[in-house]
Amino acid sequence: MRTIKIDFRNMWGGFFKHDNIVSNTLSLRYNVIVDEQDPDIVVCQVSPPDHGSPSPAALVSDRIGKSKIVHWLVESIDRTGDPDYTQCDFSFSSCKFNDDRNIRIPLWTMYVNWFGDRGENYNEDRNQAFLLSPERLLSSTPLYSPKTKFCSVLTNNDMGLRKEAYPKFINFGIDNGLLVESRGRAFTNMGPPIEGNEKNKLDYIDQFSFNLCFDNGESDGWITEKIIHPLYKGVIPIYWGCPDVGEEFNEDAFIHVRNFKTLGQLQNKVLEIYHNRKLFNEIQEQPCFPNNKIPDCANPERLLEKLEKVVA
């Protein structure tokens, strides 16, 4: 078995160099070793300019000409900018970017436990925690806990359409005698905020019929964990973000905000579903993915095929 030496730089908090979607996928075929001194491959996260991180070139200056350099654009590409192939050999991106040197790793797929027992061996310090079982995502008869509350909101910022829509949706709940609980650091109407790890989030949203989960932008392919977390718990997502989200998630399983001309039409539909439990159950019982099939872009075996060109 061939050995691959790899290093990761400028990664987010809770990122484990030896236990992440790239290292784990490569481990399906290679002996992967984290080597910070003499790596074959250096993966460097490219942060949005407003994060104040050092330039990618500065972060890998010691390895130029010695290692293959990969820029990982984890955030939406409209915030990070396009990959700069004068500074790297390949790129990973969460969004779609049409270049043979780019490998898309959808952000949502990084939360799924593709690699055995890692989800069962929960580590609250690891980000992502791999708490979502692919078998349950594909189950035709998942067992969901009763939904005793109306709608939850968990966001720490007011980016994108959230700034306009979230306050209106919270007030819409009040007007109809329903509580839209907002427990993030933004739009908080109940305290304290839900902080910490993914498990806290999943346990919290599990109580609700709906989860208002807008992504922070609308770049093609920019689909975060915000839609898959409620789907996993049998909570109906009210989603806005990626225009082509239906290519990867079954649009009959969630409420797609883009299908409504006005916020009022959206709100009326949510009320209809909430007060008609037969309709709610029909939506809840829909498979997460089109044709109940894991999208190819999220399949580690397909990802491994793409990573072959990086390690070649």
Side-chain angles (χ1 to χ4, degrees):
M1 181 180 288
R2 179 183 167 189
T3 295
I4 301 295
K5 298 183 294 181
I6 193 167
D7 188 25
F8 298 86
R9 300 184 180 182
N10 191 42
M11 305 311 290
W12 56 89
F15 181 89
F16 287 8
K17 292 185 178 184
H18 64 284
D19 191 6
N20 58 78
I21 194 166
V22 172
S23 294
N24 292 334
T25 298
L26 287 172
S27 294
L28 297 174
R29 187 167 297 167
Y30 301 97
N31 176 35
V32 178
I33 298 174
V34 175
D35 187 333
E36 298 179 352
Q37 303 303 317
D38 188 27
D40 303 312
I41 301 167
V42 178
V43 180
C44 177
Q45 182 188 190
V46 179
S47 301
D50 59 1
H51 283 199
S53 299
S55 71
L59 290 162
V60 298
S61 59
D62 62 316
R63 298 310 308 171
I64 293 175
K66 302 175 183 177
S67 308
K68 289 183 179 177
I69 307 299
V70 182
H71 285 180
W72 195 346
L73 290 73
V74 179
E75 297 286 342
S76 178
I77 209 165
D78 62 352
R79 298 184 62 213
T80 60
D82 293 347
D84 181 358
Y85 294 115
T86 68
Q87 302 291 327
C88 63
D89 301 295
F90 299 94
S91 62
F92 302 151
S93 68
S94 299
C95 302
K96 295 178 180 177
F97 184 78
N98 188 23
D99 191 288
D100 289 341
R101 293 164 290 186
N102 183 67
I103 298 170
R104 179 171 173 245
I105 305 177
L107 189 60
W108 68 265
T109 192
M110 294 162 61
Y111 291 78
V112 180
N113 182 24
W114 304 115
F115 305 99
D117 65 356
R118 290 169 175 82
E120 286 75 19
N121 295 330
Y122 172 60
N123 187 329
E124 66 178 13
D125 295 325
R126 180 177 53 202
N127 183 11
Q128 292 76 29
F130 313 138
L131 292 176
L132 310 185
S133 159
E135 291 77 18
R136 175 167 170 168
L137 285 168
L138 295 174
S139 172
S140 59
T141 56
L143 297 176
Y144 298 127
S145 64
K147 309 306 175 190
T148 59
K149 298 183 179 181
F150 174 54
C151 183
S152 63
V153 179
L154 284 176
T155 186
N156 294 327
N157 61 65
D158 62 358
M159 295 175 64
L161 193 60
R162 298 172 190 165
K163 186 172 185 177
E164 173 187 354
Y166 277 23
K168 291 181 178 179
F169 203 88
I170 292 168
N171 288 332
F172 143 78
I174 294 172
D175 292 342
N176 288 275
L178 298 167
L179 179 59
V180 179
E181 288 193 19
S182 183
R183 295 282 297 276
R185 292 195 296 273
F187 312 109
T188 309
N189 63 359
M190 293 186 67
I194 302 297
E195 300 279 7
N197 52 52
E198 293 166 50
K199 189 173 186 304
N200 288 347
K201 173 187 177 181
L202 287 167
D203 289 345
Y204 174 67
I205 67 174
D206 192 22
Q207 309 168 71
F208 295 86
S209 295
F210 302 96
N211 177 242
L212 195 61
C213 54
F214 289 15
D215 274 324
N216 60 16
E218 49 184 332
S219 298
D220 287 343
W222 175 239
I223 307 172
T224 73
E225 78 287 358
K226 291 176 179 61
I227 188 170
I228 198 170
H229 276 162
L231 285 173
Y232 190 77
K233 288 295 188 178
V235 178
I236 296 178
I238 304 171
Y239 177 82
W240 174 89
C242 174
D244 54 0
V245 63
E247 293 182 7
E248 293 170 33
F249 289 92
N250 176 16
E251 291 204 49
D252 291 333
F254 65 95
I255 300 172
H256 194 179
V257 174
R258 290 182 181 275
N259 292 336
F260 300 89
K261 293 181 179 180
T262 67
L263 189 60
Q265 290 179 355
L266 167 68
Q267 293 166 348
N268 288 337
K269 187 63 178 180
V270 172
L271 279 181
E272 177 190 355
I273 296 169
Y274 183 68
H275 291 300
N276 184 337
R277 299 316 285 183
K278 181 177 182 293
L279 179 57
F280 178 90
N281 292 337
E282 288 175 356
I283 297 171
Q284 186 189 55
E285 292 167 4
Q286 286 286 326
C288 295
F289 307 113
N291 301 314
N292 200 28
K293 179 181 179 295
I294 299 289
D296 284 345
C297 64
N299 187 321
E301 293 182 359
R302 294 298 297 273
L303 176 59
L304 179 60
E305 293 176 7
K306 297 176 182 179
L307 291 176
E308 290 282 5
K309 61 186 178 184
V310 178
V311 303

